[in-house]
Amino acid sequence: MTTSSKDTGFEFQPYYGICTFGRAPHTRDLAGAEVAIVGVPYDGATSYRSGARFGPRAIREQSMLLWGYNNALGVSPFKTLQVIDYGDVDVVPVDVLATHTAINDEVSQIVQAGVKVIALGGDHSIALPLLRAHARQYGPLAVVHFDAHPDTWDTEFGERKYSHGTPFRRAIEEKLIDTSAYLQIGIRGPTSGKQDYADALALGARMITLDEAMGLGLAGILKEIKDRVQDKPLYITLDIDSIDPAFAPGTGTPEVGGFSSYQMLQLLRGLKGLNFVGGDLVEVSPSFDHSHITSILASNLVFEYLSLLALNKLKAE
Ligand code: MN
Ligand code: MN
């Protein structure tokens, strides 16, 4: 590591310097690292409008404005943890299987070195190899999945089994997910038929539609999560389309009527204390964004992930 714990980069103005996530050192040297930010600039498994390959770069750029101290959680994640920006996985735009192999290989060796991974997407298909890499280390995972869509379709475009609409069905088939602790939260919008939700439920997901979420309120949603996740190793996967397109327009398949930015910040903060072992934030597509609103939000949500990891470290000390 070339950085000291004091040298977090936030002493610089946001417009200064080269962009890594939170100005963390860009290195692939895992010695001493505790958390690696890993970009996955792949959008070849998108079903509608592509462009999420530019998500990691946009999120990194907007992370310059984070300043460093999380007032809501009372922690400075970049001072508490040795965070590195690992850079991006070398994806293959025209080959989803080769890309998944590259993600699994790269992320597995990071996870096996004892370093936590926060991945920046990229389309949601990347969650499958990310779950493979984590399940190899931790066993079947509790998964909190924020999304407008269940992403548990069997195939898309005929027989294609690997798209951004199928990763969680594949992950359940591969026994990467502990379905007793799998929650899909924020599901909404029209689908091709009743069967889409029924299929997700049949796979064992606890689906909290946006309608149910509004009835439960934030505390009620968090109780549902905690009752199921308990102390199991938790992977969080956050599709930015779980948030209303008024707050997050820069995404491939927007669905109206979602969570506000504030509600999502509060939901993540509410996961404080859970055994959070890794996560991703996917589907940020900057070419559909306005005034960077979506990538600003995404960088703040990743900051909440880092804050949760920092609190867990402090609790363990
Ligand atoms: Mn979605
Ligand atoms: Mn999704």
Side-chain angles (χ1 to χ4, degrees):
M1 294 294 298
T2 53
T3 186
S4 77
S5 58
K6 286 179 301 222
D7 179 20
T8 62
F10 289 110
E11 63 272 28
F12 298 119
Q13 292 299 314
Y15 43 81
Y16 175 93
I18 294 165
C19 301
T20 59
F21 191 86
R23 239 189 233 97
H26 174 30
T27 178
R28 297 200 165 191
D29 179 3
L30 299 173
E34 293 172 292
V35 184
I37 302 289
V38 180
V40 188
Y42 179 74
D43 59 18
T46 310
S47 58
Y48 186 42
R49 37 186 216 191
S50 54
R53 70 181 64 181
F54 298 106
R57 183 170 295 176
I59 295 167
R60 285 185 172 109
E61 183 174 354
Q62 298 313 320
S63 72
M64 296 294 100
L65 200 55
L66 288 171
W67 294 111
Y69 181 66
N70 186 328
N71 279 290
L73 290 179
V75 69
S76 292
F78 290 90
K79 286 186 181 164
T80 306
L81 296 165
Q82 289 290 359
V83 181
I84 62 167
D85 191 325
Y86 189 83
D88 294 340
V89 174
D90 191 11
V91 303
V92 186
V94 295
D95 193 334
V96 66
L97 294 180
T99 295
H100 283 186
T101 300
I103 296 166
N104 190 15
D105 290 351
E106 200 87 65
V107 172
S108 287
Q109 53 98 14
I110 302 172
V111 170
Q112 283 164 22
V115 179
K116 303 246 175 14
V117 168
I118 304 295
L120 312 178
D123 72 48
H124 219 158
S125 73
I126 70 168
L128 177 60
L130 289 165
L131 287 166
R132 286 177 183 146
H134 284 83
R136 205 165 138 194
Q137 179 78 356
Y138 297 102
L141 299 147
V143 174
V144 172
H145 169 195
F146 296 105
D147 208 320
H149 315 98
D151 294 353
T152 38
W153 280 267
D154 186 21
T155 58
E156 278 197 309
F157 302 107
E159 295 306 300
R160 282 162 184 84
K161 293 179 93 68
Y162 301 96
S163 84
H164 76 157
T166 65
F168 299 99
R169 179 181 290 262
R170 294 290 94 77
I172 290 168
E173 289 169 351
E174 294 181 24
K175 302 192 177 356
L176 310 176
I177 296 179
D178 173 350
T179 52
S180 71
Y182 174 40
L183 299 98
Q184 303 177 332
I185 303 167
I187 309 296
R188 63 186 186 277
T191 62
S192 55
K194 239 182 179 173
Q195 201 55 33
D196 291 318
Y197 288 8
D199 285 350
L201 295 171
L203 289 168
R206 168 68 173 101
M207 181 187 290
I208 302 180
T209 63
L210 204 284
D211 283 337
E212 187 186 355
M214 290 299 120
L216 288 169
L218 296 175
I221 300 167
L222 290 167
K223 182 174 186 315
E224 291 287 321
I225 294 172
K226 288 174 184 167
D227 284 351
R228 285 171 178 74
V229 172
Q230 300 164 13
D231 59 356
K232 296 166 188 153
L234 169 65
Y235 187 89
I236 306 173
T237 182
L238 196 160
D239 185 328
I240 201 74
D241 71 28
S242 56
I243 297 150
D244 195 285
F247 300 90
T251 194
T253 46
E255 296 289 349
V256 298
F259 290 113
S260 70
S261 339
Y262 178 74
Q263 286 167 329
M264 188 56 72
L265 288 165
Q266 291 295 92
L267 283 171
L268 291 188
R269 291 167 185 158
L271 303 181
K272 176 168 90 164
L274 295 181
N275 182 17
F276 176 33
V277 298
D280 62 58
L281 192 153
V282 298
E283 300 283 356
V284 172
S285 188
S287 54
F288 299 101
D289 207 359
H290 304 284
S291 306
H292 311 299
I293 180 173
T294 311
S295 42
I296 292 169
L297 172 59
S299 70
N300 277 273
L301 295 171
V302 171
F303 184 61
E304 298 299 331
Y305 281 169
L306 294 173
S307 301
L308 294 175
L309 293 171
L311 288 177
N312 282 352
K313 180 185 176 185
L314 293 171
K315 193 177 69 177
E317 279 175 358

